[in-house]
Amino acid sequence: MKGRMNGGGLRAYAVLYLLFLYAPIILLPLFAFNAGTIIAFPLKGFTTQWFQEMWGNPTLRRALTNSLTIAVSSSILATCLGIFAARASTRFAFPGKGPIMGFIMLPMVLPEIIVAMSLLVVLLGAGIELSILTVILGHVLMCTPYAIAVLTTAFSSLDKSLEEAAFDLGETRWGAFRLVILPLVMPGIISALLISFTISLDEFIIAFFLAGNEPTLPTYIFSQLRFPKAIPVIMALGTVLVALSIVLLALGEYFRRRGNARIGATGTGGLV
Amino acid sequence: MTEDRKPMIECTGLNKHYGDYHALRDIDLTIREGEFFSLLGPSGCGKTTLLRVIAGFEDISSGAVLIDGKRMEDVPANKRPTNMVFQSYAIFPHLTVAQNVAFGLRRDSRSKSEKDALVEEALQMVGLKGYGKRAAHALSGGQRQRVALARALILKPKVLLLDEPLSALDRKMREQMQVELIKLQRQVGITFVLVTHDQEEALVMSDRIAVMFEGRIAQLDGPEALYARPADRRVADFIGVMNFLPADVTGEDAEGNVTVDVSGLGEVVLPPKQISRLTSGDERPMVGFRPETMTLLSASATRSQERETGATIDEVVYYGDMTYYDLRLDGSARGDGNARPVRISMRNVFGREVQDVGTRTRVAWSPGSLVLFR
Amino acid sequence: MAASRRSEAVQGATLIAPPLLYSLLILAAPLLTLLFYSFFLLKTGYSDLEQGFTLENYRQLAVDPIFRAIMVRSLWVSGLVTLATVLLAFPVAYYLSFVVRPDRKALWLFLITIPFWTSYLIRVFLWKVIMEQNGVINSTLTGLGIIDEPVTMLRTVGAIVMTLAHAYAPFAILPIFVALEKIDRSLLEAGRDLGESRLMTFWRVTLPLAMPGVIAAVLIVFIPTVGDYVTPELIGGGRIPMVANFIQVQMLGLNNRPLGSAMSVSAMLAVAVIAGIFLLVNLRYLKVRQ
Ligand SMILES: Nc1ncnc2c1ncn2[C@@H]1O[C@H](COP(=O)(O)OP(=O)(O)OP(=O)(O)O)[C@@H](O)[C@H]1O
Ligand SMILES: [Mg+2]
């Protein structure tokens, strides 16, 4: 029964590890609803004051509008680019495929500061004014690789003969894509949209350097961290952001799985 | 039977390269209207490639494809009068059975109710009446196969192309579908081109069969001719079981009748129609015969019209309806010390006893069933 | 679809063109500009560049003890983070792959990836709040009477390492998990069958086969952490800057873009060289796979 013991020990470790992963996040709601102004135990009582303050803050509202604008545009653009790339890489052989795909996926590992700085240098050099538009440029670059990763799994699980069958039955190429491929990868597309949206919503470095004077939610948070009085509101805001991210991801996962179930496929994959 | 019909598919001088790989070599082929035609060959010989060339999914390096007399080089797959049943069936998993079957009618100008009637008719034809509302991804293999057939046939193509349509089914289902496919083909009268690597399937189903090796057509014939008189030794080996005995050519007359001395069988004279080619790599001429063309004579049998040879039973394999015997023919060891035994098959009819290993026996055979490969 | 190799290449190239162009424009061009800038000097007192191609920026960096110290610290911290992350992650990945029931794996993976998708900034900030002088840990410990004086945790290398290790955990687990999943289970049984102990099987079969995942994990954690900006800023309190913070100061604070560019290029080179050496050393594990 050594095996059991082994599994048990590992299991305890894995649970501890999960606790470690979640420890900071669990604090968020605790202190977001805590009446005290400093983030320390013991808790002082329940309040929704911080959420009300948050809602009443005009800069924060502006940051929210900006963040949403950026996240929506970036996720749509990144997903579109991702569809092109995923389709190209799963369906066609073309010269230089490996290096090209590697290059497009590079932002996944490149330190963001390098991306932000180099882009900043070029934008300033070209005399382009910083705005949420420039942030979108950067976010699309950051989100595309993740969209590609999700979409590639979706596209590659498709049997090539499905498309050929549609073509054989008299559809045009575009018709075959629209009537067969697109519906079948739609869950992957939704999943890619949600993930890109989440990444963009939470992204700090690029927004920090490329937004000019426009606040986004993360840069707003960063700017408030110096003021101890603002911390509870930040906690409230953080709670909302994290909750939103989790909901979006759960939705993304749901769509991915539903898509799999629909075409009778199984397996994990997804973000992995 | 179909000799007089007009040609439906004509391939002339067809070549196909994948980079350096020469996948189809000088294919010349005519398939006639209403024919059930099979492409048969081992894995990788280019059957699928040829089918996809006909369907329009692959470009060719040289040569021409004509369908119903029209050149096809500028006609894409979606405009060709062919439809395909894919090996994986390619059933659209997000649609219902009826939507799958109706897929090709989308660009048709007929009214909704007319289309529905066509779909219903097509489903009935393949034995799936009432399945229209089912989700396609929840069907069994055999049902998918039928949906794929209905989906292709509803468009009334001139040619139906089938790429190993039965290989994913279990044995029982496969045999049942073979019969259904033949019936269906007779019913609709459409030219069927079937790709298969299963020689039995090809023999059962086809009017004519093209046997392919390494991108070439090695023989194009009806099932009986293919079986009885394979054009070369590789075809003989690929189709059914054939025994080979080393032979020496001792003479040839003006009409082409060849006298050979066959190891274990003695001297025979074979007319030209019983003479085929060897395959490169073979060193000496051989004479081949099928297992069922040699008969084990029971001890009591006295004479036959055919020739007889003494033999020893080496091995007995009992199959219920049949028994296979591996025999060592008397005198077959001549020349090369340990000649391989030959295999013959006997139907286990009432009153015929299965013989034991080691029994001395006699076999009867006829020169008419021999094929000389030289 | 009527696909000769040529037309297939053309279709593929047409499809890949938009994302590729985008990456060329928004990633490659800026990186090249950075490289270009690094070979020029700033006119004293101006924001434009002096004439002439020069290696002066790189020479300056090579002899600058502060830059060297910061670079070394960045690499050192990243190394520690990588080591901690991968060591802590391996057992979890192993547990996921070998112990968890197949139908539960997706759930575990989802649980592990969720924190990764929540705002990195907020997670770092939370660690700050936790480790602060009057923060969660200290208030708890003093409240319970375990300590009298608050313990200083922030502004230490240890705090930075811990925060980063937490942030990059899923990055390490996922590639190792994928590599472990690919291992043919019958190989392990074969090992056991040949009389090897569990530990020996692990050493001689599992670990070598998991190495591609471990190597990927190391690179995926190491490369971005070297360039991390937020953690040194918040947890290090600006006292323990890493190379990203230094670059930012050069670029924006001191407005010396050429020197900042040279720093960026040097940092990327250093990381690339280290990653390259690491890959070379482990090449044999990657070859086994094919
Ligand atoms: N797209 C391609 N690129 C390169 N080579 C190919 C391609 N398609 C097929 N081939 C090669 O051409 C040869 C013939 O392939 P084909 O699919 O026609 O074989 P097949 O006779 O259908 O075999 P099977 O019975 O296994 O299906 C094979 O050796 C195959 O490797
Ligand atoms: Mg094939």
Side-chain angles (χ1 to χ4, degrees):
Chain A
M1 287 295 98
K2 192 166 162 249
R4 265 306 142 68
M5 293 276 293
N6 205 339
L10 274 175
R11 188 186 165 78
Y13 175 80
V15 170
L16 273 179
Y17 192 92
L18 269 191
L19 274 182
F20 165 66
L21 276 188
Y22 280 89
I25 296 169
I26 294 167
L27 294 179
L28 265 178
L30 279 187
F31 289 102
F33 292 106
N34 179 26
T37 48
I38 48 167
I39 309 302
F41 286 114
L43 300 175
K44 292 277 185 338
F46 181 85
T47 177
T48 53
Q49 179 194 350
W50 314 123
F51 286 91
Q52 285 158 14
E53 266 183 42
M54 180 179 88
W55 191 242
N57 180 330
T59 322
L60 190 50
R61 281 193 175 198
R62 178 150 186 81
L64 177 69
T65 325
N66 283 342
S67 270
L68 288 180
T69 314
I70 293 169
V72 168
S73 332
S74 305
S75 57
I76 292 176
L77 286 172
T79 304
C80 287
L81 291 178
I83 291 175
F84 278 102
R87 168 100 174 135
S89 79
T90 51
R91 178 67 172 73
F92 298 101
F94 50 91
K97 181 164 157 179
I100 289 176
M101 290 312 292
F103 170 61
I104 294 175
M105 300 300 272
L106 191 62
M108 253 177 163
V109 285
L110 214 57
E112 278 177 76
I113 190 86
I114 302 280
V115 177
M117 282 302 154
S118 61
L119 205 48
L120 183 65
V121 165
V122 170
L123 291 172
L124 292 181
I128 295 171
E129 206 167 317
L130 298 180
S131 66
I132 60 172
L133 225 75
T134 47
V135 179
I136 293 175
L137 282 184
H139 278 190
V140 171
L141 188 73
M142 300 303 300
C143 296
T144 305
Y146 291 92
I148 293 177
V150 173
L151 289 165
T152 301
T153 5
F155 273 105
S156 61
S157 67
L158 282 187
D159 183 352
K160 179 177 163 187
S161 57
L162 285 175
E163 194 185 342
E164 288 180 338
F167 193 58
D168 186 59
L169 292 169
E171 277 306 325
T172 56
R173 253 157 243 218
W174 166 242
F177 183 77
R178 188 172 63 87
L179 295 169
V180 175
I181 306 298
L182 215 52
L184 289 175
V185 294
M186 195 41 88
I189 291 178
I190 294 174
S191 190
L193 276 172
L194 291 171
I195 282 168
S196 307
F197 185 89
T198 317
I199 293 175
S200 171
L201 194 67
D202 290 338
E203 202 286 333
F204 167 66
I205 299 280
I206 287 174
F208 186 53
F209 291 116
L210 297 186
N213 293 324
E214 290 293 334
T216 68
L217 287 178
T219 60
Y220 175 79
I221 292 173
F222 189 75
S223 71
Q224 297 302 301
L225 293 183
R226 274 172 293 151
F227 310 116
K229 272 217 263 174
I231 301 299
V233 176
I234 297 300
M235 284 293 200
L237 178 56
T239 307
V240 173
L241 265 184
V242 167
L244 191 62
S245 297
I246 293 177
V247 168
L248 290 178
L249 283 171
L251 269 180
E253 179 71 9
Y254 168 77
F255 276 109
R256 202 179 61 73
R257 288 211 196 163
R258 209 184 65 165
N260 274 351
R262 198 158 59 153
I263 56 175
T266 50
T268 46
L271 311 180
V272 181
Chain B
M1 154 181 116
T2 50
E3 296 293 279
D4 49 339
R5 309 247 186 103
K6 68 170 179 173
M8 181 51 78
I9 298 171
E10 292 158 275
C11 300
T12 45
L14 218 82
N15 278 282
K16 165 83 189 166
H17 295 266
Y18 287 115
D20 290 340
Y21 187 76
H22 200 164
L24 294 179
R25 301 163 188 244
D26 303 317
I27 301 279
D28 288 303
L29 181 67
T30 301
I31 300 173
R32 296 182 180 280
E33 188 178 24
E35 202 171 13
F36 200 126
F37 193 93
S38 290
L39 298 169
L40 174 66
S43 186
C45 71
K47 310 177 293 283
T48 298
T49 306
L50 180 52
L51 199 73
R52 290 171 58 83
V53 162
I54 296 171
F57 289 126
E58 306 279 351
D59 290 342
I60 43 180
S61 314
S62 68
V65 178
L66 281 78
I67 299 179
D68 202 14
K70 287 188 208 63
R71 293 183 69 95
M72 284 289 133
E73 51 259 55
D74 297 325
V75 184
N78 57 348
K79 298 277 191 292
R80 293 196 182 188
T82 58
N83 280 117
M84 184 132 161
V85 173
F86 290 82
Q87 183 165 8
S88 57
Y89 309 144
I91 300 299
F92 306 129
H94 58 303
L95 304 178
T96 63
V97 168
Q99 285 169 330
N100 261 283
V101 176
F103 192 90
L105 296 178
R106 210 179 69 86
R107 298 177 162 263
D108 197 299
S109 58
R110 269 173 283 204
S111 74
K112 171 99 173 56
S113 58
E114 272 176 296
K115 287 182 186 177
D116 287 347
L118 281 174
V119 169
E120 207 40 51
E121 186 191 331
L123 282 176
Q124 178 155 22
M125 187 165 62
V126 297
L128 281 182
K129 192 165 192 290
Y131 279 71
K133 295 224 159 42
R134 293 259 191 120
H137 67 81
L139 297 178
S140 73
Q143 291 169 333
R144 278 166 201 247
Q145 153 92 76
R146 290 159 200 263
V147 175
L149 273 170
R151 186 175 71 178
L153 288 174
I154 200 172
L155 300 178
K156 310 235 155 44
K158 291 181 174 151
V159 180
L160 186 69
L161 306 168
L162 306 107
D163 190 359
E164 310 214 11
L166 307 178
S167 63
L169 305 178
D170 62 42
R171 195 189 161 90
K172 263 226 161 75
M173 191 71 206
R174 189 159 63 229
E175 281 167 5
Q176 185 190 337
M177 280 310 290
Q178 285 174 357
V179 177
E180 286 192 31
L181 266 182
I182 299 171
K183 280 193 191 149
L184 196 61
Q185 197 262 344
R186 296 221 181 101
Q187 185 188 337
V188 295
I190 291 173
T191 308
F192 275 34
V193 183
L194 175 89
V195 160
T196 179
H197 62 257
D198 179 347
Q199 42 101 10
E200 222 171 283
E201 185 170 298
L203 292 177
V204 169
M205 300 176 75
S206 327
D207 295 324
R208 284 192 308 152
I209 299 166
V211 182
M212 294 179 67
F213 290 107
E214 289 158 12
R216 267 203 185 83
I217 295 183
Q219 185 172 5
L220 200 170
D221 249 322
E224 288 120 80
L226 207 57
Y227 188 77
R229 249 168 287 294
D232 66 29
R233 210 185 61 80
R234 204 151 46 150
V235 175
D237 237 356
F238 188 70
I239 294 186
V241 178
M242 188 169 254
N243 294 294
F244 295 102
L245 295 168
D248 293 316
V249 177
T250 54
E252 185 166 356
D253 68 14
E255 281 93 62
N257 297 314
V258 176
T259 313
V260 279
D261 184 12
V262 187
S263 158
L265 297 181
E267 193 150 286
V268 283
V269 179
L270 298 174
K273 63 168 190 174
Q274 274 171 258
I275 298 174
S276 295
R277 291 182 308 278
L278 280 170
T279 307
S280 58
D282 293 334
E283 275 144 29
R284 55 185 295 194
M286 276 181 274
V287 159
F289 64 93
R290 300 285 183 191
E292 68 279 5
T293 60
M294 207 173 251
T295 314
L296 208 56
L297 296 175
S298 58
S300 56
T302 45
R303 54 159 268 118
S304 81
Q305 314 86 323
E306 300 163 323
R307 291 176 57 169
E308 283 181 32
T309 305
T312 312
I313 299 178
D314 226 32
E315 190 70 69
V316 179
V317 187
Y318 179 72
Y319 270 97
D321 59 336
M322 303 280 280
T323 306
Y324 286 92
Y325 295 94
D326 288 349
L327 304 176
R328 213 169 277 281
L329 299 175
D330 290 354
S332 67
R334 178 203 57 175
D336 38 355
N338 49 349
R340 271 189 297 144
V342 297
R343 168 160 289 199
I344 72 165
S345 62
M346 298 292 290
R347 188 154 287 285
N348 292 331
V349 294
F350 178 74
R352 180 184 284 160
E353 278 177 24
V354 176
Q355 309 222 16
D356 291 328
V357 175
T359 313
R360 285 278 311 146
T361 183
R362 284 173 304 148
V363 287
W365 53 277
S366 146
S369 58
L370 302 184
V371 183
L372 170 65
F373 299 92
R374 63 180 290 207
Chain C
M1 220 162 291
S4 73
R5 314 240 86 199
R6 245 262 227 60
S7 81
E8 180 164 324
V10 170
Q11 286 184 58
T14 317
L15 275 174
I16 201 67
L20 177 61
L21 278 181
Y22 193 84
S23 292
L24 284 176
L25 214 65
I26 306 296
L27 183 63
L31 287 180
L32 288 177
T33 312
L34 214 65
L35 186 65
F36 176 81
Y37 259 73
S38 71
F39 291 119
F40 288 86
L41 279 179
L42 203 61
K43 270 189 197 154
T44 30
Y46 296 91
S47 63
D48 47 351
L49 302 178
E50 236 175 75
Q51 292 281 317
F53 183 88
T54 170
L55 290 173
E56 175 60 20
N57 289 318
Y58 289 100
R59 199 194 59 76
Q60 255 183 34
L61 290 181
V63 298
D64 180 1
I66 300 179
F67 179 72
R68 200 181 314 150
I70 286 183
M71 200 62 229
V72 167
R73 177 194 293 144
S74 300
L75 295 174
W76 170 237
V77 167
S78 294
L80 282 179
V81 170
T82 309
L83 192 71
T85 316
V86 172
L87 282 184
L88 287 176
F90 195 95
V92 179
Y94 186 89
Y95 172 72
L96 275 186
S97 179
F98 285 93
V99 184
V100 173
R101 285 213 320 263
D103 54 323
R104 291 287 190 77
K105 284 183 183 176
L107 178 68
W108 271 90
L109 283 177
F110 188 60
L111 280 178
I112 283 170
T113 33
I114 280 189
F116 164 68
W117 294 106
T118 58
S119 167
Y120 174 55
L121 180 71
I122 290 180
R123 273 180 292 149
V124 176
F125 152 68
L126 285 169
W127 279 114
K128 178 175 144 85
V129 170
I130 291 171
M131 295 191 280
E132 229 153 13
Q133 209 67 359
N134 53 359
V136 177
I137 294 182
N138 277 325
S139 67
T140 310
L141 292 181
T142 42
L144 293 174
I146 295 172
I147 51 170
D148 302 326
E149 288 290 302
V151 186
T152 304
M153 284 171 282
L154 285 185
R155 304 196 180 87
T156 61
V157 169
I160 293 183
V161 170
M162 219 226 40
T163 308
L164 283 171
H166 179 263
Y168 282 88
F171 277 115
I173 293 181
L174 295 183
I176 300 175
F177 170 75
V178 171
L180 288 174
E181 283 288 274
K182 280 192 192 146
I183 297 178
D184 183 353
R185 302 292 134 127
S186 61
L187 275 180
L188 305 183
E189 277 154 26
R192 301 283 301 289
D193 204 42
L194 293 172
E196 300 212 2
S197 70
R198 236 168 216 285
L199 201 62
M200 280 305 275
T201 312
F202 180 81
W203 263 117
R204 298 197 19 192
V205 184
T206 315
L207 198 57
L209 288 174
M211 274 316 273
V214 173
I215 291 165
V218 165
L219 292 179
I220 289 178
V221 175
F222 182 76
I223 297 174
T225 44
V226 175
D228 192 79
Y229 176 84
V230 176
T231 300
E233 196 73 14
L234 290 183
I235 303 291
R239 293 262 200 87
I240 318 176
M242 295 200 348
V243 69
N245 314 77
F246 207 54
I247 291 172
Q248 187 254 338
V249 169
Q250 274 309 326
M251 288 274 199
L252 303 179
L254 305 176
N255 220 355
N256 190 345
R257 276 179 230 153
L259 194 59
S261 300
M263 282 177 185
S264 309
V265 175
S266 313
M268 278 194 284
L269 267 183
V271 172
V273 167
I274 292 177
I277 292 174
F278 180 76
L279 273 179
L280 273 183
V281 169
N282 289 295
L283 207 55
R284 65 204 160 103
Y285 293 116
L286 297 174
K287 276 195 184 139
V288 173
R289 206 178 179 186
Q290 288 150 10

